Amino acid sequence: MYKLPALFLFFASLFSFGQKDTLVFRNKDMAVGEVKELKAGILTLKTMYSDKDFKIEFNKVDELIIQRKALILLTRGRRRYGNIRTYEPKKVRITNTNGEVEEFRLNEVVALQEITDKFWGRFKGNIDAGLNIAKANSNTQLTISAELSYNDHKWISSATMELLNSTQTNTEAIKRNNVQLDLIRVMVNKWYLFGGLAYLTNSEQALKHRYTGSLGIGNLLINTSKLNFGLLGGLTYNTESFTDNSPQRNSIELLLGSSFNMFDFKDFSLKTNISFYPSLSERGRIRSDFNFNLKYDLPLDFYIKLGFNFNYDNQSATTGSDFDYVFNSGFGWKFNK
């Protein structure tokens, strides 16, 4: 009477096992679970036997079989998307979505991330906040920032928001709100196409609204599992209004920028970029933006952050300052890391 349920559970366990990723080490030991990612030479494996993920040195792995499709970063900045598995020790085959097969040495794989078939599973995000309160002049300053990104093998998109509101007795409130939407189409040989929309309001520069649209092309000169450095060029269109009597502006600008990102240096990550906007429609005008964000990871997906933002405009509004900067710190949480 108990044979049928037992037989069912036996085959169910075999089926479940067959759906798991498999690793074989140098000493021929085997681990079965779900490979989450490979970054900085460390492979993360989730198993049903532990609440904590296992961290495995990738150079100790001889063979692997990954069931789901993965975004794979190879040496020399090469990117592939598909299924990966070894066909003999230290050699892998990558099968893309068109069924085309390529063979590589295992040590050519520098990073990978499984891509879920579920749309919402491809999103990552974080949010943090900081609050400063002082008795003098009833000074209160609140900062909030958030980021949401979506990645697949061809498209990278992100939305960021940074809000600052500072009030104190007998002075006007200080506001600096920035929203940025970016979309990147990954091309071959480290090239990519870029499109962006941005909104900025900044009381220090008497800027009521600035709406910006950008199009460009970039190249990742350095792209490894731990850092990347790229250059970007393109065009920008601005629409600006001001809080004083300065007239509304519509302008076309050249976009020249660079970005430098470091990640997986233990618990630290650094993201920074700088952009220059020489105007093509307003003689002698040049703008510049610089952003710096440093994060330190804490347990349970929490983190602390230190940031710096700088804006420069040599032809700002009549009552506005040519430049503005903000230092901020915060405590935050991220999901789908």
PDB file of all heavy atoms in Angstrom, residues 12-22 30 32 49 67:
ATOM      1  N   ALA A  12      10.091  11.850  -7.995  1.00  0.00           N
ATOM      2  CA  ALA A  12       9.982  13.306  -7.847  1.00  0.00           C
ATOM      3  C   ALA A  12      11.299  13.898  -7.392  1.00  0.00           C
ATOM      4  O   ALA A  12      11.727  14.953  -7.858  1.00  0.00           O
ATOM      5  CB  ALA A  12       8.870  13.667  -6.849  1.00  0.00           C
ATOM      6  N   SER A  13      11.967  13.192  -6.481  1.00  0.00           N
ATOM      7  CA  SER A  13      13.270  13.688  -6.011  1.00  0.00           C
ATOM      8  C   SER A  13      14.302  13.633  -7.126  1.00  0.00           C
ATOM      9  O   SER A  13      15.147  14.519  -7.254  1.00  0.00           O
ATOM     10  CB  SER A  13      13.739  12.884  -4.800  1.00  0.00           C
ATOM     11  OG  SER A  13      13.973  11.532  -5.164  1.00  0.00           O
ATOM     12  N   LEU A  14      14.231  12.566  -7.965  1.00  0.00           N
ATOM     13  CA  LEU A  14      15.156  12.490  -9.098  1.00  0.00           C
ATOM     14  C   LEU A  14      14.910  13.625 -10.066  1.00  0.00           C
ATOM     15  O   LEU A  14      15.841  14.239 -10.594  1.00  0.00           O
ATOM     16  CB  LEU A  14      14.995  11.140  -9.815  1.00  0.00           C
ATOM     17  CG  LEU A  14      15.567   9.900  -9.132  1.00  0.00           C
ATOM     18  CD1 LEU A  14      15.334   8.671 -10.004  1.00  0.00           C
ATOM     19  CD2 LEU A  14      17.053  10.072  -8.833  1.00  0.00           C
ATOM     20  N   PHE A  15      13.628  13.910 -10.337  1.00  0.00           N
ATOM     21  CA  PHE A  15      13.308  15.007 -11.250  1.00  0.00           C
ATOM     22  C   PHE A  15      13.788  16.333 -10.703  1.00  0.00           C
ATOM     23  O   PHE A  15      14.386  17.147 -11.395  1.00  0.00           O
ATOM     24  CB  PHE A  15      11.799  15.056 -11.476  1.00  0.00           C
ATOM     25  CG  PHE A  15      11.369  16.185 -12.364  1.00  0.00           C
ATOM     26  CD1 PHE A  15      11.492  16.089 -13.738  1.00  0.00           C
ATOM     27  CD2 PHE A  15      10.855  17.356 -11.822  1.00  0.00           C
ATOM     28  CE1 PHE A  15      11.107  17.132 -14.554  1.00  0.00           C
ATOM     29  CE2 PHE A  15      10.468  18.392 -12.632  1.00  0.00           C
ATOM     30  CZ  PHE A  15      10.591  18.272 -14.006  1.00  0.00           C
ATOM     31  N   SER A  16      13.566  16.562  -9.396  1.00  0.00           N
ATOM     32  CA  SER A  16      14.034  17.802  -8.771  1.00  0.00           C
ATOM     33  C   SER A  16      15.529  17.915  -8.855  1.00  0.00           C
ATOM     34  O   SER A  16      16.081  18.984  -9.140  1.00  0.00           O
ATOM     35  CB  SER A  16      13.561  17.850  -7.316  1.00  0.00           C
ATOM     36  OG  SER A  16      14.059  18.991  -6.672  1.00  0.00           O
ATOM     37  N   PHE A  17      16.238  16.787  -8.613  1.00  0.00           N
ATOM     38  CA  PHE A  17      17.697  16.794  -8.701  1.00  0.00           C
ATOM     39  C   PHE A  17      18.154  17.138 -10.110  1.00  0.00           C
ATOM     40  O   PHE A  17      19.111  17.883 -10.317  1.00  0.00           O
ATOM     41  CB  PHE A  17      18.216  15.406  -8.288  1.00  0.00           C
ATOM     42  CG  PHE A  17      19.723  15.303  -8.282  1.00  0.00           C
ATOM     43  CD1 PHE A  17      20.433  15.661  -7.151  1.00  0.00           C
ATOM     44  CD2 PHE A  17      20.405  14.857  -9.405  1.00  0.00           C
ATOM     45  CE1 PHE A  17      21.814  15.568  -7.148  1.00  0.00           C
ATOM     46  CE2 PHE A  17      21.784  14.757  -9.401  1.00  0.00           C
ATOM     47  CZ  PHE A  17      22.487  15.111  -8.269  1.00  0.00           C
ATOM     48  N   GLY A  18      17.403  16.587 -11.109  1.00  0.00           N
ATOM     49  CA  GLY A  18      17.811  16.817 -12.495  1.00  0.00           C
ATOM     50  C   GLY A  18      17.666  18.256 -12.925  1.00  0.00           C
ATOM     51  O   GLY A  18      18.256  18.674 -13.909  1.00  0.00           O
ATOM     52  N   GLN A  19      16.821  19.012 -12.217  1.00  0.00           N
ATOM     53  CA  GLN A  19      16.625  20.402 -12.583  1.00  0.00           C
ATOM     54  C   GLN A  19      17.656  21.329 -11.932  1.00  0.00           C
ATOM     55  O   GLN A  19      17.648  22.521 -12.185  1.00  0.00           O
ATOM     56  CB  GLN A  19      15.209  20.856 -12.176  1.00  0.00           C
ATOM     57  CG  GLN A  19      14.093  20.063 -12.829  1.00  0.00           C
ATOM     58  CD  GLN A  19      14.186  20.095 -14.331  1.00  0.00           C
ATOM     59  OE1 GLN A  19      14.178  21.166 -14.935  1.00  0.00           O
ATOM     60  NE2 GLN A  19      14.286  18.928 -14.953  1.00  0.00           N
ATOM     61  N   LYS A  20      18.515  20.780 -11.082  1.00  0.00           N
ATOM     62  CA  LYS A  20      19.470  21.608 -10.359  1.00  0.00           C
ATOM     63  C   LYS A  20      20.771  21.742 -11.129  1.00  0.00           C
ATOM     64  O   LYS A  20      21.122  20.919 -11.968  1.00  0.00           O
ATOM     65  CB  LYS A  20      19.743  20.998  -8.979  1.00  0.00           C
ATOM     66  CG  LYS A  20      18.520  20.933  -8.069  1.00  0.00           C
ATOM     67  CD  LYS A  20      17.980  22.308  -7.745  1.00  0.00           C
ATOM     68  CE  LYS A  20      16.816  22.239  -6.777  1.00  0.00           C
ATOM     69  NZ  LYS A  20      16.269  23.567  -6.454  1.00  0.00           N
ATOM     70  N   ASP A  21      21.497  22.826 -10.825  1.00  0.00           N
ATOM     71  CA  ASP A  21      22.833  23.018 -11.389  1.00  0.00           C
ATOM     72  C   ASP A  21      23.806  22.080 -10.675  1.00  0.00           C
ATOM     73  O   ASP A  21      23.628  21.750  -9.500  1.00  0.00           O
ATOM     74  CB  ASP A  21      23.264  24.472 -11.215  1.00  0.00           C
ATOM     75  CG  ASP A  21      22.285  25.441 -11.864  1.00  0.00           C
ATOM     76  OD1 ASP A  21      21.677  25.057 -12.882  1.00  0.00           O
ATOM     77  OD2 ASP A  21      22.135  26.558 -11.361  1.00  0.00           O
ATOM     78  N   THR A  22      24.845  21.687 -11.391  1.00  0.00           N
ATOM     79  CA  THR A  22      25.802  20.719 -10.855  1.00  0.00           C
ATOM     80  C   THR A  22      27.220  21.239 -11.013  1.00  0.00           C
ATOM     81  O   THR A  22      27.589  21.754 -12.073  1.00  0.00           O
ATOM     82  CB  THR A  22      25.678  19.365 -11.589  1.00  0.00           C
ATOM     83  OG1 THR A  22      24.322  18.915 -11.515  1.00  0.00           O
ATOM     84  CG2 THR A  22      26.583  18.322 -10.962  1.00  0.00           C
ATOM     85  N   MET A  30      31.171  16.553  -5.695  1.00  0.00           N
ATOM     86  CA  MET A  30      30.120  17.172  -6.485  1.00  0.00           C
ATOM     87  C   MET A  30      29.184  17.964  -5.587  1.00  0.00           C
ATOM     88  O   MET A  30      28.884  17.542  -4.467  1.00  0.00           O
ATOM     89  CB  MET A  30      29.343  16.100  -7.261  1.00  0.00           C
ATOM     90  CG  MET A  30      28.267  16.659  -8.179  1.00  0.00           C
ATOM     91  SD  MET A  30      27.614  15.415  -9.339  1.00  0.00           S
ATOM     92  CE  MET A  30      27.053  14.173  -8.176  1.00  0.00           C
ATOM     93  N   VAL A  32      25.372  20.128  -5.733  1.00  0.00           N
ATOM     94  CA  VAL A  32      24.148  20.322  -6.504  1.00  0.00           C
ATOM     95  C   VAL A  32      23.332  21.424  -5.849  1.00  0.00           C
ATOM     96  O   VAL A  32      23.188  21.462  -4.626  1.00  0.00           O
ATOM     97  CB  VAL A  32      23.332  19.024  -6.583  1.00  0.00           C
ATOM     98  CG1 VAL A  32      22.021  19.269  -7.334  1.00  0.00           C
ATOM     99  CG2 VAL A  32      24.131  17.927  -7.251  1.00  0.00           C
ATOM    100  N   TYR A  49      19.819  22.679   1.438  1.00  0.00           N
ATOM    101  CA  TYR A  49      20.286  22.166   2.721  1.00  0.00           C
ATOM    102  C   TYR A  49      20.713  23.269   3.685  1.00  0.00           C
ATOM    103  O   TYR A  49      21.017  23.003   4.838  1.00  0.00           O
ATOM    104  CB  TYR A  49      21.461  21.218   2.519  1.00  0.00           C
ATOM    105  CG  TYR A  49      21.188  20.143   1.493  1.00  0.00           C
ATOM    106  CD1 TYR A  49      21.822  20.180   0.262  1.00  0.00           C
ATOM    107  CD2 TYR A  49      20.286  19.121   1.747  1.00  0.00           C
ATOM    108  CE1 TYR A  49      21.570  19.204  -0.699  1.00  0.00           C
ATOM    109  CE2 TYR A  49      20.019  18.143   0.796  1.00  0.00           C
ATOM    110  CZ  TYR A  49      20.659  18.190  -0.417  1.00  0.00           C
ATOM    111  OH  TYR A  49      20.405  17.246  -1.359  1.00  0.00           O
ATOM    112  N   GLN A  67      21.404  24.820 -15.646  1.00  0.00           N
ATOM    113  CA  GLN A  67      20.167  24.493 -16.340  1.00  0.00           C
ATOM    114  C   GLN A  67      19.535  25.695 -17.018  1.00  0.00           C
ATOM    115  O   GLN A  67      19.078  25.601 -18.152  1.00  0.00           O
ATOM    116  CB  GLN A  67      19.168  23.871 -15.342  1.00  0.00           C
ATOM    117  CG  GLN A  67      19.665  22.596 -14.681  1.00  0.00           C
ATOM    118  CD  GLN A  67      19.845  21.453 -15.670  1.00  0.00           C
ATOM    119  OE1 GLN A  67      19.244  21.437 -16.729  1.00  0.00           O
ATOM    120  NE2 GLN A  67      20.697  20.497 -15.329  1.00  0.00           N
TER     121      GLN A  67
END
